[in-house]
Amino acid sequence: MEQLWRSPLATTRRGVVNWREHMPQSAPSQTAEDYLERIHELIEEKGYARVVDIASSLDVKQASVTSMVQKLGELGYLNYEKYRGLVLTEKGKAVATGIQQRHETLARFFSLFGLDAETQQRDIEGIEHHLSPATVETLSDLAAFFEKNPDTLKSFLKSRKSGKT
């Protein structure tokens, strides 16, 4: 299993330095973020999040989920409440909401360019944990710009099509 908290200056599998590695030790890893995001989504969808539901939706073993949930609980991101399942703390909600907003920004941006949903989802999952807040904000601003200037977006899309052989 991926290390829960990364050391400074660690690199991704491709050898590229990830901005997250320069954050304080308490910043959640990509795997921890994925769990927090999924727990948050389940709570929003069903009103609760259980280990079995998390394991099924992330396609991992229940034992892995239990281990991660225990670590996230120890670090103050969530609590287990009898009969209610997992409950995110304010700290956990803040991380999960931030991830969700980042995901939505990227989806909004990519959808402007006519990319199919499957490609968008795959690309978002591949990059969302590796973008700095400044980059996500820039993409959000760019999406807003194109939304307010549809003729510019059409011109851009047309230039892409005409440039292909």
Side-chain angles (χ1 to χ4, degrees):
M1 178 185 286
E2 180 183 329
Q3 195 179 353
L4 184 60
W5 310 116
R6 300 177 186 180
S7 63
L9 303 179
T11 58
T12 65
R13 289 182 199 105
R14 291 182 231 55
V16 178
V17 174
N18 183 325
W19 70 274
R20 303 184 58 63
E21 276 72 14
H22 300 286
M23 294 177 67
Q25 287 281 338
S26 62
S29 69
Q30 178 177 334
T31 301
E33 284 184 348
D34 286 339
Y35 274 82
L36 291 169
E37 179 182 26
R38 191 59 195 134
I39 291 165
H40 187 260
E41 290 169 350
L42 285 167
I43 291 170
E44 286 184 329
E45 290 169 17
K46 300 170 89 173
Y48 59 89
R50 299 177 309 167
V51 168
V52 65
D53 298 321
I54 298 164
S56 174
S57 65
L58 293 177
D59 197 27
V60 297
K61 295 181 180 178
Q62 287 187 37
S64 296
V65 175
T66 298
S67 176
M68 179 61 81
V69 162
Q70 289 170 344
K71 290 175 186 174
L72 291 171
E74 290 168 9
L75 293 164
Y77 288 100
L78 56 81
N79 294 312
Y80 173 76
E81 293 183 8
K82 197 171 186 176
Y83 307 117
R84 283 189 64 202
L86 303 171
V87 178
L88 294 173
T89 62
E90 288 304 314
K91 181 178 172 180
K93 282 182 196 171
V95 171
T97 302
I99 297 161
Q100 194 172 44
Q101 289 170 346
R102 183 171 51 203
H103 190 103
E104 289 168 2
T105 296
L106 292 171
R108 177 175 156 226
F109 180 74
F110 288 143
S111 68
L112 291 169
F113 305 108
L115 298 170
D116 65 271
E118 185 180 322
T119 299
Q120 285 185 48
Q121 188 63 27
R122 187 176 53 247
D123 290 348
I124 290 167
E125 291 300 321
I127 67 170
E128 73 178 333
H129 299 285
H130 302 285
L131 296 176
S132 70
T135 298
V136 174
E137 184 177 347
T138 300
L139 293 174
S140 178
D141 292 346
L142 188 55
F145 174 80
F146 278 132
E147 289 165 348
K148 290 177 186 169
N149 298 281
D151 291 338
T152 303
L153 176 61
K154 286 177 190 172
S155 198
F156 170 74
L157 293 173
K158 184 178 178 184
S159 75
R160 289 195 72 236
K161 289 177 184 169
S162 66
K164 295 182 181 179
T165 55

